[in-house]
Amino acid sequence: MKKDKNTTEQEWKEILTEEQYYVLREKGTERPFTGIYTDFFEGGHYHCAGCGQLLFEAQTKFDSACGWPSFDQAIDGSVSYIKDVSHGMIRVEVVCSNCQGHLGHVFPDGPQETTGHRYCINSISITHQK
């Protein structure tokens, strides 16, 4: 089955684990410092856990000590940006451009020697491949 923005919520419930569904489809957040990729720094690529789309290169990952995996840039065209005014804050939500799965948020407090961005991403919303 092709997984993209046309996949129904019932199909997503059958494809994803309960935790993945909560984060990717209901815009949830995993607890800080609990995700498998928070302190993981092997080479390779990171893909959307929902549809498999390539999102980030491993060399763009950095340790931000925020409790979630952080990247300073996404693959061009791989993510979409949505204004998020939930929880009394104004933020920029990052979603997979293919399936619209919630990945996390992007902030302007990343490494200034690169892009200045910090993509704060839920581990459960991504997979790593070498």
Side-chain angles (χ1 to χ4, degrees), residues 35-41 46 61 68-69 123-124 126-128:
I36 62 172
Y37 298 122
T38 302
D39 295 318
F40 181 88
F41 290 96
Y46 292 86
K61 191 171 187 298
W68 292 275
S123 285
I124 197 102
I126 56 177
T127 61
H128 175 263

Side-chain angles (χ1 to χ4, degrees), residues 74-126:
I75 301 290
D76 284 343
S78 68
V79 300
S80 297
Y81 304 94
I82 302 169
K83 183 177 181 179
D84 178 358
V85 295
S86 64
H87 307 292
M89 298 178 271
I90 299 174
R91 302 178 290 175
V92 178
E93 179 187 9
V94 179
V95 299
C96 173
S97 65
N98 180 55
C99 71
Q100 304 303 299
H102 171 76
L103 303 170
H105 292 85
V106 62
F107 301 97
D109 60 1
Q112 294 305 304
E113 63 274 8
T114 59
T115 65
H117 296 115
R118 175 174 56 95
Y119 287 79
C120 184
I121 305 298
N122 291 285
S123 285
I124 197 102
S125 68
I126 56 177

Side-chain angles (χ1 to χ4, degrees), residues 3-73:
K3 297 174 278 185
D4 60 21
K5 62 185 173 196
N6 297 316
T7 302
T8 68
E9 288 309 306
Q10 184 56 44
E11 289 169 328
W12 282 121
K13 286 180 180 180
E14 294 169 7
I15 295 166
L16 302 171
T17 67
E18 199 171 302
E19 287 177 313
Q20 287 174 320
Y21 186 85
Y22 170 67
V23 172
L24 286 162
R25 308 310 307 168
E26 296 180 330
K27 301 180 186 293
T29 301
E30 63 193 5
R31 289 189 345 260
F33 301 102
T34 62
I36 62 172
Y37 298 122
T38 302
D39 295 318
F40 181 88
F41 290 96
E42 289 188 20
H45 315 279
Y46 292 86
H47 297 256
C48 175
C51 70
Q53 175 160 274
L54 177 61
L55 302 169
F56 303 99
E57 297 288 352
Q59 65 264 27
T60 67
K61 191 171 187 298
F62 67 97
D63 184 4
S64 69
C66 72
W68 292 275
S70 297
F71 302 85
D72 66 7
Q73 67 183 33

